[in-house]
Amino acid sequence: QVQLVESGGGLVQAGGSLRLSCAASGRTFSYYAMGWFRQAPGKEREFVASISWNGGTTYYADSVEGRFAISRGDAKNTVYLQMNSLKPEDTAVYYCARSLVPGQTPRSYASWGQGTQVTVSS
């Protein structure tokens, strides 16, 4: 069973940067596509970014395109989300998960981590 643990969240001012990490324990997820989602209070969980198993293909939500970058570590067992030019509307709990089937909905993913809080102050 794959367990995912997110880290790297925190409080940052608007315009700042954070780098989130998602580390796997248990069975390797090297051959899975991976995704980042976020959920703000009172809102549904939404897609942020995804990356293919080999890192060759990435997708981004329109709201983060050009500001965020998803990548995989050399051992493919860690996934990162570099977040630049942060805005107050990026405030949310950020989750990583492994892909079950191609898609950008939470239903397409499994093995959710516990999440890491990102708060952007104006």
Side-chain angles (χ1 to χ4, degrees), residues 10-65:
L11 173 63
V12 64
Q13 289 188 331
S17 298
L18 283 174
R19 189 192 196 204
L20 305 185
S21 299
C22 172
S25 62
R27 192 174 66 184
T28 180
F29 65 91
S30 299
Y31 295 103
Y32 293 112
M34 298 293 296
W36 283 96
F37 286 74
R38 66 187 181 186
Q39 188 165 18
K43 295 189 176 181
E44 294 186 351
R45 192 167 296 188
E46 65 174 2
F47 172 80
V48 175
S50 65
I51 188 167
S52 60
W53 72 272
N54 63 355
T57 302
T58 57
Y59 294 99
Y60 297 93
D62 290 344
S63 58
V64 307
E65 179 81 53

Side-chain angles (χ1 to χ4, degrees), residues 60-95:
Y60 297 93
D62 290 344
S63 58
V64 307
E65 179 81 53
R67 300 188 297 121
F68 290 11
I70 188 171
S71 61
R72 304 188 77 126
D74 289 341
K76 303 292 190 293
N77 243 26
T78 305
V79 177
Y80 303 101
L81 184 68
Q82 178 67 43
M83 306 187 297
N84 300 324
S85 302
L86 283 161
K87 305 175 181 180
E89 51 263 43
D90 294 318
T91 295
V93 177
Y94 284 71
Y95 300 89

